[in-house]
Amino acid sequence: MPSTRLRRARYAVCALVLCASVAAVAVLRSSGDYPYDGAVFSQVLVSADGRTLTAPVRWAPCQEVEPRLAVRETSGSVGVVLQIGIADTSHQCGEADRQISVTLQAPLGARQLAEAVTGSAIAPFPASRLAAVGYLPAGFSATPDLPQVFSTSGAPWEPRPFDPAVTTGPAWTRYYATPGSEPTLSITQTLAATAPAAGCRPSAERTCPPLASPSPSGTVSTQDSTSSACVSATTSVNGHGGLLLCDTASERAVTWTDGRSTFTLVSYDPQHTALSPDELLRVASSVRAP
């Protein structure tokens, strides 16, 4: 399994590729704090009343102002664009990811939502379809912030908020954190009934086998440095078949479908132990679709 340092390096490479993609389609619009229009390559959530669009964005806080979403509305369509500021690259700093919103003049309704720079159609996730989460572990609450690293690179359960094309239908990922910490829990809901994520060695057990534990330094060690360390066990969530996915002690997930949506719940904390399988399943069992 890749080390934390290697995971961060891989994530940084992905971030550079994404930033390059945005830059490739950025259009000089005007002067001022936000002179560029950038394409929106991410999940998009539309509020229950159809008036608010939300999407995750990425930027370097010490180099530029936080990007903002903007829309161009007509009677038949809504184009959404990411307005980008001028970056001061004379110094380097870490990136930040956050969900931001924009309000429409009128509800989206039957109008076509599109990415304004490229013209590509966007299939937003309707907030009215979001499942309710009835239980969270002590100290956890919802956050608009996204973690810099969330799961092993290429893991079958990896949340991909900046790559909606990998899902079979509209998807939205919610994140949860304890005070003062990056998010270590996520729930992704996709409006499609697909088979639970594969890619892990099946286990005859119905729970995670003994796994590596955090060392005194706070990092997680494992004897296997490849993704083959991952194992899966069949489970049930509210009577629906699913898979419990286990890697190191810092990374566990559960995925299932209720026949209308597919859910993936991930607990990932590279510095500490992830939620126990029982706690993961308790959260999963509290997830109820409207």
mmCIF file of all heavy atoms in Angstrom, residues 231-250:
data_model
loop_
_atom_site.group_PDB
_atom_site.id
_atom_site.type_symbol
_atom_site.label_atom_id
_atom_site.label_comp_id
_atom_site.label_asym_id
_atom_site.label_seq_id
_atom_site.Cartn_x
_atom_site.Cartn_y
_atom_site.Cartn_z
ATOM 1 N N VAL A 231 -9.003 -6.023 1.347
ATOM 2 C CA VAL A 231 -9.870 -7.198 1.331
ATOM 3 C C VAL A 231 -11.315 -6.726 1.439
ATOM 4 O O VAL A 231 -11.607 -5.636 1.915
ATOM 5 C CB VAL A 231 -9.551 -8.169 2.489
ATOM 6 C CG1 VAL A 231 -8.150 -8.718 2.353
ATOM 7 C CG2 VAL A 231 -9.740 -7.493 3.837
ATOM 8 N N SER A 232 -12.241 -7.548 0.982
ATOM 9 C CA SER A 232 -13.658 -7.212 1.037
ATOM 10 C C SER A 232 -14.425 -8.332 1.712
ATOM 11 O O SER A 232 -14.069 -9.506 1.602
ATOM 12 C CB SER A 232 -14.216 -6.976 -0.372
ATOM 13 O OG SER A 232 -14.144 -8.165 -1.145
ATOM 14 N N ALA A 233 -15.467 -7.949 2.428
ATOM 15 C CA ALA A 233 -16.336 -8.910 3.088
ATOM 16 C C ALA A 233 -17.783 -8.534 2.792
ATOM 17 O O ALA A 233 -18.133 -7.348 2.796
ATOM 18 C CB ALA A 233 -16.091 -8.915 4.596
ATOM 19 N N THR A 234 -18.604 -9.507 2.490
ATOM 20 C CA THR A 234 -20.013 -9.219 2.221
ATOM 21 C C THR A 234 -20.695 -8.751 3.501
ATOM 22 O O THR A 234 -20.360 -9.177 4.608
ATOM 23 C CB THR A 234 -20.735 -10.457 1.678
ATOM 24 O OG1 THR A 234 -20.619 -11.531 2.620
ATOM 25 C CG2 THR A 234 -20.141 -10.888 0.351
ATOM 26 N N THR A 235 -21.641 -7.852 3.352
ATOM 27 C CA THR A 235 -22.362 -7.327 4.506
ATOM 28 C C THR A 235 -23.771 -6.951 4.064
ATOM 29 O O THR A 235 -24.134 -7.102 2.891
ATOM 30 C CB THR A 235 -21.628 -6.103 5.105
ATOM 31 O OG1 THR A 235 -22.238 -5.762 6.352
ATOM 32 C CG2 THR A 235 -21.667 -4.906 4.171
ATOM 33 N N SER A 236 -24.566 -6.451 4.984
ATOM 34 C CA SER A 236 -25.929 -6.033 4.684
ATOM 35 C C SER A 236 -26.181 -4.682 5.338
ATOM 36 O O SER A 236 -25.782 -4.452 6.497
ATOM 37 C CB SER A 236 -26.935 -7.058 5.218
ATOM 38 O OG SER A 236 -28.267 -6.617 5.002
ATOM 39 N N VAL A 237 -26.798 -3.764 4.576
ATOM 40 C CA VAL A 237 -27.151 -2.443 5.097
ATOM 41 C C VAL A 237 -28.653 -2.259 4.892
ATOM 42 O O VAL A 237 -29.117 -2.172 3.761
ATOM 43 C CB VAL A 237 -26.368 -1.325 4.377
ATOM 44 C CG1 VAL A 237 -26.795 0.037 4.899
ATOM 45 C CG2 VAL A 237 -24.871 -1.524 4.551
ATOM 46 N N ASN A 238 -29.393 -2.269 5.978
ATOM 47 C CA ASN A 238 -30.852 -2.129 5.912
ATOM 48 C C ASN A 238 -31.479 -3.140 4.953
ATOM 49 O O ASN A 238 -32.409 -2.821 4.210
ATOM 50 C CB ASN A 238 -31.231 -0.704 5.501
ATOM 51 C CG ASN A 238 -30.779 0.326 6.515
ATOM 52 O OD1 ASN A 238 -30.772 0.068 7.716
ATOM 53 N ND2 ASN A 238 -30.379 1.498 6.028
ATOM 54 N N GLY A 239 -30.956 -4.357 4.980
ATOM 55 C CA GLY A 239 -31.488 -5.423 4.141
ATOM 56 C C GLY A 239 -30.957 -5.451 2.726
ATOM 57 O O GLY A 239 -31.346 -6.319 1.945
ATOM 58 N N HIS A 240 -30.066 -4.528 2.375
ATOM 59 C CA HIS A 240 -29.487 -4.480 1.033
ATOM 60 C C HIS A 240 -28.064 -5.018 1.070
ATOM 61 O O HIS A 240 -27.284 -4.698 1.964
ATOM 62 C CB HIS A 240 -29.476 -3.048 0.493
ATOM 63 C CG HIS A 240 -30.820 -2.395 0.493
ATOM 64 N ND1 HIS A 240 -31.840 -2.790 -0.356
ATOM 65 C CD2 HIS A 240 -31.333 -1.379 1.249
ATOM 66 C CE1 HIS A 240 -32.912 -2.042 -0.133
ATOM 67 N NE2 HIS A 240 -32.629 -1.184 0.832
ATOM 68 N N GLY A 241 -27.727 -5.822 0.080
ATOM 69 C CA GLY A 241 -26.391 -6.392 0.016
ATOM 70 C C GLY A 241 -25.330 -5.346 -0.230
ATOM 71 O O GLY A 241 -25.532 -4.383 -0.971
ATOM 72 N N GLY A 242 -24.173 -5.518 0.400
ATOM 73 C CA GLY A 242 -23.084 -4.569 0.217
ATOM 74 C C GLY A 242 -21.754 -5.224 0.497
ATOM 75 O O GLY A 242 -21.662 -6.432 0.726
ATOM 76 N N LEU A 243 -20.703 -4.403 0.480
ATOM 77 C CA LEU A 243 -19.364 -4.881 0.755
ATOM 78 C C LEU A 243 -18.713 -3.989 1.803
ATOM 79 O O LEU A 243 -18.818 -2.765 1.752
ATOM 80 C CB LEU A 243 -18.492 -4.845 -0.513
ATOM 81 C CG LEU A 243 -18.760 -5.889 -1.598
ATOM 82 C CD1 LEU A 243 -17.843 -5.624 -2.792
ATOM 83 C CD2 LEU A 243 -18.538 -7.299 -1.061
ATOM 84 N N LEU A 244 -18.057 -4.634 2.750
ATOM 85 C CA LEU A 244 -17.192 -3.940 3.688
ATOM 86 C C LEU A 244 -15.782 -4.040 3.133
ATOM 87 O O LEU A 244 -15.288 -5.133 2.862
ATOM 88 C CB LEU A 244 -17.282 -4.593 5.071
ATOM 89 C CG LEU A 244 -16.426 -3.993 6.184
ATOM 90 C CD1 LEU A 244 -16.867 -2.569 6.491
ATOM 91 C CD2 LEU A 244 -16.503 -4.868 7.435
ATOM 92 N N LEU A 245 -15.134 -2.899 2.917
ATOM 93 C CA LEU A 245 -13.826 -2.847 2.270
ATOM 94 C C LEU A 245 -12.793 -2.392 3.280
ATOM 95 O O LEU A 245 -12.959 -1.349 3.922
ATOM 96 C CB LEU A 245 -13.867 -1.888 1.081
ATOM 97 C CG LEU A 245 -14.989 -2.170 0.067
ATOM 98 C CD1 LEU A 245 -15.188 -0.995 -0.865
ATOM 99 C CD2 LEU A 245 -14.680 -3.429 -0.721
ATOM 100 N N CYS A 246 -11.737 -3.163 3.435
ATOM 101 C CA CYS A 246 -10.746 -2.891 4.469
ATOM 102 C C CYS A 246 -9.349 -2.885 3.878
ATOM 103 O O CYS A 246 -8.977 -3.794 3.130
ATOM 104 C CB CYS A 246 -10.818 -3.953 5.560
ATOM 105 S SG CYS A 246 -12.489 -4.279 6.179
ATOM 106 N N ASP A 247 -8.581 -1.853 4.235
ATOM 107 C CA ASP A 247 -7.183 -1.799 3.819
ATOM 108 C C ASP A 247 -6.342 -1.792 5.093
ATOM 109 O O ASP A 247 -6.387 -2.738 5.852
ATOM 110 C CB ASP A 247 -6.940 -0.560 2.954
ATOM 111 C CG ASP A 247 -5.805 -0.767 1.968
ATOM 112 O OD1 ASP A 247 -4.842 -1.444 2.352
ATOM 113 O OD2 ASP A 247 -5.881 -0.279 0.848
ATOM 114 N N THR A 248 -5.607 -0.752 5.376
ATOM 115 C CA THR A 248 -4.920 -0.678 6.654
ATOM 116 C C THR A 248 -5.915 -0.251 7.728
ATOM 117 O O THR A 248 -7.069 0.040 7.444
ATOM 118 C CB THR A 248 -3.773 0.345 6.596
ATOM 119 O OG1 THR A 248 -4.330 1.646 6.421
ATOM 120 C CG2 THR A 248 -2.810 0.036 5.467
ATOM 121 N N ALA A 249 -5.426 -0.185 8.962
ATOM 122 C CA ALA A 249 -6.303 0.216 10.059
ATOM 123 C C ALA A 249 -6.747 1.668 9.933
ATOM 124 O O ALA A 249 -7.668 2.094 10.619
ATOM 125 C CB ALA A 249 -5.594 0.003 11.399
ATOM 126 N N SER A 250 -6.125 2.435 9.042
ATOM 127 C CA SER A 250 -6.511 3.840 8.871
ATOM 128 C C SER A 250 -7.506 4.028 7.744
ATOM 129 O O SER A 250 -7.924 5.153 7.475
ATOM 130 C CB SER A 250 -5.268 4.697 8.580
ATOM 131 O OG SER A 250 -4.741 4.376 7.305
#
